[in-house]
Amino acid sequence: NFMLTQPHSVSESPGKTVTISCTRSSGSIASNYVQWYQQRPGSSPTTVIYEDNQRPSGVPDRFSGSIDSSSNSASLTISGLKTEDEADYYCQSYDSSSVVFGGGTKLTVL
Amino acid sequence: EVQLVESGGGLVQPGRSLRLSCAASGFTFDDYAMHWVRQAPGKGLEWVSGISWNSGSIGYADSVKGRFTISRDNAKNSLYLQMNSLRAEDTALYYCAKDVRDYYGSGSSPFFDYWGQGTLVTVSS
């Protein structure tokens, strides 16, 4: 199995843009779709990006996803940061035998 | 409205067993694969197990393989997780999660569009 590595934490000011990375340890990042989940304190996760760069209905277009084969990583970018975006974010992918989550990134909007 | 309601968690001694249930409503249960995902206190998400719509394909994380068994009863719109030989490191909030696809297995690329609120399992003497 591969691992997905995320920064432990990131912080940025309201109105700014932040990017959270998710690096795949082995195998190509492009070989399986990457999803991103948001988890606010005390709540269950919700999907903010699926299939690398698709937004579920109801998720604002301030959220975007991409993959970069050169760095073998996926990225979640949140623009126009709002205090309500403060949460933990997890990337997720899959290989032939199991679902893999990244370790999570705590986003602080201060 | 999709609802996933987990139950069956609690305090259990190491080595004992526990069975979790997830009652699903608001969607056609037997059209979708289902999963269990857990989160230890203050930690990240860990996938535990998945099952395809017809129970034909099942998978487990290495950490629970041989100890946990996932199953479903489509007639009862319910998902289960039988947990045996529990360890302290199994202590976590266990979420039931709905897949967007019917099939779980090789080539399926699963992900989750609905999650329950979780049921807490504490393994301690």
Side-chain angles (χ1 to χ4, degrees):
Chain A
N1 283 358
F2 62 91
M3 295 196 317
L4 296 172
T5 300
Q6 301 179 232
H8 181 69
S9 63
V10 296
S11 61
E12 190 50 271
S13 303
K16 300 291 189 179
T17 297
V18 70
T19 297
I20 299 172
S21 62
C22 170
T23 303
R24 179 166 171 156
S25 62
S26 61
S28 171
I29 191 70
S31 61
N32 300 96
Y33 285 128
V34 175
Q35 280 66 236
W36 291 91
Y37 302 94
Q38 177 193 68
Q39 187 179 34
R40 294 191 173 107
S43 296
S44 302
T46 61
T47 311
V48 292
I49 294 289
Y50 68 96
E51 294 180 353
D52 298 340
N53 55 19
Q54 302 299 303
R55 262 190 326 275
S57 60
V59 173
D61 59 6
R62 302 185 296 105
F63 290 80
S64 62
S66 63
I67 62 168
D68 179 357
S69 296
S70 65
S71 59
N72 212 35
S73 64
S75 294
L76 171 68
T77 298
I78 311 171
S79 60
L81 276 169
K82 300 184 177 184
T83 55
E84 67 203 46
D85 298 330
E86 189 161 289
D88 293 327
Y89 291 86
Y90 296 89
C91 59
Q92 174 256 312
S93 192
Y94 174 75
D95 73 359
S96 58
S97 60
S98 66
V99 174
V100 178
F101 284 98
T105 298
K106 181 176 180 60
L107 169 63
T108 301
V109 182
L110 36 64
Chain B
E1 178 194 3
V2 171
Q3 285 198 321
L4 299 170
V5 180
E6 302 93 337
S7 61
L11 175 62
V12 61
Q13 293 179 328
R16 304 297 291 264
S17 300
L18 209 56
R19 188 194 195 209
L20 304 184
S21 299
C22 170
S25 61
F27 65 101
T28 305
F29 184 69
D30 56 10
D31 276 353
Y32 296 96
M34 296 293 294
H35 300 259
W36 290 99
V37 178
R38 69 184 180 184
Q39 187 168 33
K43 302 297 184 183
L45 301 172
E46 179 189 16
W47 176 79
V48 173
S49 183
I51 185 169
S52 62
W53 68 278
N54 63 353
S55 305
S57 180
I58 286 174
Y60 299 96
D62 288 343
S63 57
V64 306
K65 202 170 293 183
R67 301 187 298 123
F68 289 12
T69 302
I70 191 172
S71 62
R72 64 190 294 162
D73 185 336
N74 288 344
K76 295 182 178 179
N77 289 347
S78 294
L79 176 72
Y80 306 101
L81 185 68
Q82 177 66 43
M83 304 187 295
N84 298 332
S85 303
L86 282 162
R87 306 167 179 167
E89 54 265 36
D90 295 319
T91 294
L93 186 64
Y94 284 73
Y95 292 105
C96 167
K98 173 187 168 293
D99 201 321
V100 298
R101 313 186 202 284
D102 59 355
Y103 171 69
Y104 163 76
S106 179
S108 66
S109 194
F111 74 93
F112 319 115
D113 55 354
Y114 290 95
W115 302 64
Q117 289 304 304
T119 186
L120 182 62
V121 173
T122 303
V123 184
S124 174
S125 55

